[in-house]
Structure formats: structure tokens, C-alpha cells
Amino acid sequence: MTPLSGTGVTPLAGVGTVQWYDPQVELSGVDASESIDPETELATFEQARDTARDELETERERTADRIGDAEAEVFEAHLGFLDDPQITEGVEETVEAGSTAQEAVAETFGSHIEQFESMEGRFAERAADLRDLRDRLLRILTDSDRVDLSELPDGTVLLAKDLAPSDTARLDPDAVAGIATVGGGRTSHSAIFARSLAIPAVVDVGEELSDIEDGTEVLVDGDAGTVVVDPESTPATEAATVEIRTEQVTTADGRAIEVAANVGTTDELAPAVERGADGVGLFRTEFLFLDRETPPTETEQYETYRAALDAFPTGRVVVRTLDAGGDKPIPYLDLPDEENPFLGARGIRLSLDENADLFETQLRALLRAGADGAGDLAVMFPMVATVAELDQVLTRVESVSDDLTSENIAHTVPELGVMIETPSAVFCAREFAERVQFLSIGTNDLTQYVMAASRGSEAVTDLHDPLHPAVLRAIDRTVREGHQGGAWVGVCGEMAGEPELTPLLVGLGVDELSMSAVTIPAVKAAVTAADSDATLIESVLASETREAVRDRLHLG
């Protein structure tokens, strides 16, 4: 059988025996002669909600312990939907109209799922969360057995139409040899969980995956993005065979490149150290603000930032200030319900306006943390689009520093930087660089805004690719203008964690790459083999299509 192609999620490979997983539940039939008592059905629904709530809270705690607090946040969304008046009232109205609790759940959730599937961005992603919660409630209501994914036999390759986050979070990475799904995407919750658990995974394989039967031996190659039936051998993937290097690496022509880790919580620091990260290139502080009813205190934040610095006493830790809005709603903040939140109030726009007090508290904690103990702190600001915004930020930092001085509190103003995520930031890169010490290119958002292609829309998946010439030219301009302005330039989007793209980024002159910890060894190896091939870069930047870029980079 010809290898099936999909999207590789984890740069690992595994061989095992197929077990199909289908979480869908068949509804119990109701005899036409039977009368339906709405009061009984509503009581049944309420009991199912209570059971589901208990399960979700248990899974949230287990996920936080095994994978991390940031990943466990998905269960907060499920708990929120469980108590959403639109859903509960919809079920109640459907029951009172003569349906069973099972039918009412299926119908009510179905209409909301269709509504969210027609939207984009974080709204489209909610459809998967609703589907997961619906299936959970139906399983409880029908008293159906749940496949215990935490007890799969050793050497299992799990195949499914798609996997919900709650499914992936229950997998035992020591038993599961691989995962492959018909649908899904590289940035879905399940894909992120698979990477965190270091399980070989390929998603979006297509309906051909359904032809593989239970009990078949298959290879899941998350590096190549393929599924192979009856493989003759297991490829030695880069992530499995590359030596872990704890020292900073240099290119073949002698240029030092910092290879750092993206983290969201302190739980992710130890794995980053173990994989050889030089430091932290992106600490997503928004996860400090989630799963709680009030913002974190200055002391809480200070202790978190100090933990990151202590984990890398000789390295640099780049902390991004609160990046709320867009696809990162914060429950207790009064964020506007915008038609297109990615083009609205998010990132630094909120920090300089509605949430100025939160911003000041965060800056106080950061300036204090940078003055105590080891480690080299750097702070960067998200979604800065204009020079005026950056000037306001710098004024605010100076003001906080003055306040701490007047209070006789030890502190230091760290390296400051700006995220380059929008076309306007690209065009202002020189002015930004003249005011701060570094620029960090967020290739996920930069691609989204340059190509006008939502990260969450399957309809424009082909456009959301950083190898489009327009995106590469934006990166090139940012690096050149940043260096000319006196700043170093890093990349912290998904692109930085792709070893096959390392020669391209090195050739473009990038100084730092930051990524998920699992890909660090492979990227460090790619750095040592790369050099600043000016001819290659010139030909890539002159390309007119994504396909031409891929050809010049010898990518399949």
C-alpha cells in the first residue's frame, strides 16, 4: 500500500498495531407507545451534567499534572459550555416540546456546532470542544461504555476520524506507538497534546485512512507526515536519533545561533532544559491569567518569572507580556465581543488601555525578577503596530522603574523587545529596533496577517503557510531593518521548530530560534550543518510562488 500522506505533528516515528477509536454514541430508541415525562427527562439531564462536571474536573487536574496547566485550560472551556444558558435552556425547551434528554442534547448541541463551524478563528475551534462535550453527555445518558484510552495495550497505534483533547490527554505515551487521524490540524489541542506527550502523530490524512483495518501493523512517521501499512522498517527520525546538545551551537560558517524553547508554564521548563534549550525564547504569560477568577498578584508573577530564570541561570529568558484578546479570552476581563477579534482589541492595545493596571503590575514583577538571582531576563511586547504605541510602552516601563526606585525596591530594566506580527510592524522594524534591543517574529500571526488568512479556517489552509514569498520577504525585511537599527532578531512561531527550514532562517540572518522543546535537538543539528548561502536566499526571495520556494529548498 502506498504511504498515506498527512500533516506530521511530532518529529518521531513509531510502529504498532492499529486500534480504531470511535467516540460516537448511538441514541436509545423510544417506543412510540411510551409517554415521555419532561420532568423525569430534565432530572436525567441534570444528573448527566453533574457526572460530566465531575469527569471534567478530574481530567483537568490529571492533564495539568501530566502535560501542563496551559493544556489543561481546554477543560475550563468544556465546563463553561456545560453551564452555558443558551445550551441548558435549549435542552430544557426541546425536552418540554416532547423529546428525550438524549435527543435534546443531540439536537441542541448539533445546532450550536453547526453555527461555530461556519465561523473562523477561535469560534471555529469551539465546534470541536462542543462536539467533545456532546459526546460525553450522550455517553453518560445512554450508559455507554467508554473505551479506556489510558489502558491501551503496549504498541497500539490509535486511528480515529479525529481525537478530542480529552481523548488525547488520557493516552499513555509509554503504550501508544502512534496516532493518526482522518482530520485535524497541526495547531489543534489534540496535536499540541501529542507533541507535549512526545507521541508520534500524523493528522489530516484523509478518508483513505479508514481503509486500514484493526489489527494491521502500521508505521506512523510524524517527521515525514506519513502512515505506512506493513512497514519493512522504522525510520530513524531526527528527534529520536539526534544527540542532545546542551551548549550553544554555531553554523558551518561560524555564526552562533541561540536555540530556545517556547513555554507556557513552569511545568514546561524542565523538559526544555532536558532537550538542550539555550534558554526561553517565548514565555507565554497569558496562561498565568487563566483558570482563575482574579488576576495573579505581583508576588505570584514574580515567583513564576524567577522560576524560569532559575531554570536557565546562564541563559536568556524572554517573557512576553499579557497577550489577551484574539483567540485568548481571559474570563474575568471585560473583553469586547468583536466580529473579528484578531483585528480588534488584543495584546498591547489592551495593556495600554483597559488593562493598564494589570500591565503595570506585570511590569513591576518583571523588573523585580530580573534584578534577583541568576539568569538574563528579556521582555517583549505583543501586537505593537505603531511607533506611537511602542513609545507609550517605553514610557510606562520608565514610570514603573521610577516608582520602584522611590519605594527602594531592587529592580532592573531588562532587554526590551517587540513582537513582529503585522505588516505595519514589518514596515516599522527599523524604528522599533532603534528603540529596543530585539525583535521577535511571530510567524504564525505574521503569516495570518500578511496573507489575510485566518489561522483557524480550513478553507484557507494553503494560504496559511510561511513559505509564501510575501511572508518570506516580510521576514527578510524585518531581519535587515532590525540589524540596521541595532537589534538582534529572533523567530518564535511554528516555523522556527521545522528543522528543514533552519537553513532558510539562518540564511536570512536570524539570530535566535524558539520552538517546542521536542524539536530542539533536531534544530540544533540543522544549525550546525547550515551556512549563510546568499545564492540560495536570493533565489528564494525572488520566487513568485510557494511551490517555487519549496523547489528551491528541496522540500517535497
Side-chain angles (χ1 to χ4, degrees):
M1 185 177 186
T2 303
L4 303 180
S5 296
T7 301
V9 166
T10 311
L12 300 167
V15 173
T17 304
V18 166
Q19 178 169 329
W20 271 93
Y21 174 64
D22 183 1
Q24 290 190 350
V25 176
E26 291 187 11
L27 304 186
S28 303
V30 177
D31 192 293
S33 63
E34 296 180 14
S35 61
I36 295 174
D37 177 18
E39 187 173 333
T40 300
E41 294 300 320
L42 287 175
T44 300
F45 171 60
E46 288 301 324
Q47 186 175 4
R49 284 178 68 206
D50 290 340
T51 302
R53 186 175 292 104
D54 290 341
E55 288 184 359
L56 287 167
E57 289 175 348
T58 298
E59 291 181 12
R60 178 182 60 186
E61 293 173 5
R62 182 172 59 216
T63 301
D65 290 339
R66 294 181 63 221
I67 304 176
D69 291 334
E71 289 77 7
E73 293 303 328
V74 65
F75 297 105
E76 280 298 313
H78 291 200
L79 286 164
F81 282 129
L82 198 60
D83 296 318
D84 189 323
Q86 292 189 57
I87 291 175
T88 56
E89 291 172 8
V91 171
E92 291 168 1
E93 291 173 1
T94 307
V95 166
E96 289 169 356
S99 298
T100 64
Q102 296 174 31
E103 293 169 334
V105 166
E107 181 179 331
T108 302
F109 274 82
S111 63
H112 285 285
I113 289 169
E114 289 182 7
Q115 180 182 358
F116 281 124
E117 284 179 333
S118 66
M119 300 180 183
E120 294 185 355
R122 64 186 175 93
F123 297 104
E125 293 173 2
R126 288 182 179 179
D129 292 326
L130 279 172
R131 195 177 295 108
D132 192 4
L133 181 57
R134 176 201 63 189
D135 293 344
R136 183 188 297 273
L137 285 168
L138 290 177
R139 174 181 54 78
I140 295 168
L141 287 167
T142 59
D143 197 25
S144 301
D145 291 333
R146 182 184 191 184
V147 175
D148 191 349
L149 295 178
S150 65
E151 296 293 336
L152 293 172
D154 287 351
T156 295
V157 169
L158 192 67
L159 303 188
K161 291 288 186 182
D162 203 352
L163 283 175
S166 59
D167 297 327
T168 315
R170 289 174 17 237
L171 299 176
D172 179 358
D174 293 328
V176 178
I179 301 168
T181 60
V182 173
R186 182 176 173 78
T187 59
S188 68
H189 290 302
S190 294
I192 292 169
F193 283 15
R195 280 198 294 277
S196 298
L197 292 168
I199 297 175
V202 178
V203 300
D204 198 22
V205 178
E207 289 297 335
E208 290 178 296
L209 188 70
S210 303
D211 295 334
I212 302 177
E213 299 179 352
D214 275 332
T216 305
E217 186 177 69
V218 300
L219 159 69
V220 175
D221 188 343
D223 196 25
T226 58
V227 177
V228 182
V229 174
D230 296 326
E232 295 181 358
S233 62
T234 304
T237 59
E238 287 185 301
T241 61
V242 174
E243 175 188 0
I244 293 177
R245 303 165 187 247
T246 56
E247 73 283 359
Q248 191 176 57
V249 293
T250 59
T251 62
D253 52 351
R255 190 158 64 89
I257 303 292
E258 188 175 343
V259 181
N262 294 343
V263 303
T265 69
T266 54
D267 293 334
E268 297 173 59
L269 293 170
V273 173
E274 292 168 4
R275 302 296 290 181
D278 297 327
V280 174
L282 170 61
F283 194 117
R284 302 181 179 95
T285 61
E286 55 269 19
F287 295 118
L288 279 169
F289 293 77
L290 296 169
D291 191 21
R292 54 192 305 149
E293 296 180 358
T294 58
T297 65
E298 181 180 328
T299 299
E300 287 178 277
Q301 293 190 60
Y302 167 85
E303 293 173 348
T304 298
Y305 307 144
R306 271 307 327 159
L309 288 162
D310 290 341
F312 293 95
T314 61
R316 174 162 43 203
V317 173
V318 181
V319 177
R320 181 176 67 189
T321 58
L322 178 60
D323 188 15
D327 59 346
K328 307 181 187 76
I330 306 295
Y332 47 82
L333 298 185
D334 187 22
L335 299 179
D337 186 11
E338 300 174 288
E339 182 176 352
N340 192 336
F342 285 98
L343 296 180
R346 59 170 297 199
I348 204 65
R349 300 169 184 176
L350 289 171
S351 294
L352 290 174
D353 193 3
E354 293 92 336
N355 299 306
D357 291 344
L358 283 183
F359 187 45
E360 180 175 321
T361 299
Q362 184 170 36
L363 289 175
R364 286 177 61 92
L366 285 164
L367 268 59
R368 288 175 52 208
D372 296 339
D376 182 12
L377 178 68
V379 176
M380 65 181 175
F381 307 104
M383 281 298 293
V384 177
T386 69
V387 171
E389 284 178 333
L390 179 55
D391 286 341
Q392 289 182 62
V393 168
L394 298 179
T395 298
R396 195 67 54 85
V397 172
E398 183 179 358
S399 174
V400 169
S401 176
D402 289 343
D403 289 343
L404 290 170
T405 298
S406 67
E407 297 169 34
N408 292 319
I409 296 176
H411 69 283
T412 186
V413 176
E415 275 192 303
L416 300 177
V418 172
M419 291 281 292
I420 303 298
E421 301 165 278
T422 66
S424 69
V426 172
F427 290 120
C428 293
R430 172 81 69 89
E431 290 85 352
F432 288 170
E434 291 171 347
R435 287 165 167 78
V436 297
Q437 288 73 52
F438 69 96
L439 308 177
S440 184
I441 304 171
T443 54
N444 298 347
D445 268 333
L446 182 61
T447 302
Q448 171 176 245
Y449 291 122
V450 167
M451 301 303 298
S454 171
R455 296 165 60 179
S457 174
E458 293 186 6
V460 292
T461 298
D462 287 346
L463 288 174
H464 199 274
D465 184 340
L467 293 183
H468 279 287
V471 181
L472 294 179
R473 292 168 191 170
I475 295 172
D476 174 61
R477 179 178 178 129
T478 299
V479 175
R480 287 188 290 103
E481 296 287 305
H483 286 167
Q484 289 173 17
W488 61 265
V489 183
V491 174
C492 63
E494 289 290 328
M495 187 180 186
E498 303 287 348
E500 66 271 23
L501 300 183
T502 300
L504 171 62
L505 292 174
V506 167
L508 287 168
V510 169
D511 305 296
E512 179 242 34
L513 300 168
S514 189
M515 65 213 67
S516 298
V518 70
T519 60
I520 286 172
V523 170
K524 279 197 165 184
V527 167
T528 64
D531 59 29
S532 302
D533 187 342
T535 302
L536 171 65
I537 299 305
E538 287 175 8
S539 67
V540 166
L541 294 175
S543 299
E544 297 180 352
T545 66
R546 176 182 60 165
E547 290 70 26
V549 170
R550 297 186 68 86
D551 286 344
R552 285 175 170 80
L553 295 175
H554 305 293
L555 300 175

